[in-house]
Amino acid sequence: MQNQSSSIYHVSDTALWIAAYRAMESERKDSVFKDPLALLLAGERGKEMAKKMKSMSLMAWVVAFRTRVIDRLILNTIENKNIDTVINLGSGLDTRPYRLDFLSNINWFEIDFPNMINYKKEVLINASPKCNLSHVELDLSNIEERRKIFSSINSKAKNVLLLSEGVISYLKEEDVALLSQDLISYSNFNYWIQDCYTINMYKVFPKRWKKNMNSSPFQFFPKDWFDFFVKHGWSKNEFISFLAEGKKMGRLTPMPFPFNVINFFLSLLSHNPFENLYGAVLFSKKNK
């Protein structure tokens, strides 16, 4: 990676502290997943970045339940939709090809910046993936090159699941629109998993989080996340709320007073009005 500072200078730097939070979750007795490679990938810089993030327990909770929910969406979609290929756009330091079961017949493509791909390959040189894993060095903003790669994968695949975890939010609306149009144009790109949030969710993010991420801020704020992609040809197939998943697992979102009290009483309701603020969604082509 490019430097040893604990600050975030580039969107790819966020992968280090996300890996650190996955490592923290894996060490819990009540962990909602296990990621034995996360600590190795985070390294000292990732651990320092995570420690210096304010509201660390809240961020750790978000990463834990985002990971758990997306794990389930991936495995369910692979099993129920006869997926043969997964493309992880902006894969960062994701370890699903190494830790998820039932991937033996899956062709999995990780696409990210060259420095990220090379760092990950170097650190995981002795790790064995559970699928047919390929790495693609690419800046997704390079439209001509990404179209060549998408076209090549599409020509060999039968049924593709796209994954963009922690990626869409860093793109401008016009760039998301163009990417969405590109992806849906390929005949075998049929499903797409994203983490998603509302503008109201972003407004309640701690200001100190936003300050830490000044060099790689969120830029995508559609009026309605689902409607944005529906207008570009996708159909909302399934949505899972992170808040609802936390409630189900007996781990409510950690919040400072008095929000923790409010959150507790809201959790007693059959439907928490804040559950749809943040979660993960599976989109499909409208004919699927």
Side-chain angles (χ1 to χ4, degrees), residues 81-99:
K81 305 298 183 182
N82 297 316
I83 299 297
D84 71 312
T85 301
V86 175
I87 303 175
N88 191 348
L89 304 167
S91 56
L93 299 177
D94 179 47
T95 60
R96 291 186 177 95
Y98 300 88
R99 62 180 181 79

Side-chain angles (χ1 to χ4, degrees), residues 116-155:
M116 181 62 65
I117 293 290
N118 291 329
Y119 171 77
K120 186 175 180 181
K121 288 169 68 175
E122 179 182 342
V123 173
L124 299 185
I125 191 169
N126 295 318
S128 299
K130 297 183 178 183
C131 57
N132 304 313
L133 179 61
S134 299
H135 299 97
V136 180
E137 299 178 12
L138 174 70
D139 180 346
L140 283 169
S141 66
N142 188 327
I143 297 173
E144 183 178 351
E145 285 302 311
R146 83 184 184 202
R147 287 174 176 169
K148 289 179 183 177
I149 290 167
F150 292 162
S151 180
S152 175
I153 296 174
N154 183 68
S155 68

Side-chain angles (χ1 to χ4, degrees), residues 7 9 11 22 36 44 58 61 75 114 124 126 145 151 166 168 180 182 228 253 260 266 268 278:
S7 299
Y9 292 99
V11 64
R22 294 204 312 269
E44 290 303 317
L58 177 56
W61 183 95
L75 290 174
L124 299 185
N126 295 318
E145 285 302 311
S151 180
I168 299 296
S180 180
D182 274 359
F228 180 90
T253 316
N260 58 341
L266 286 175
L268 301 178
Y278 194 26

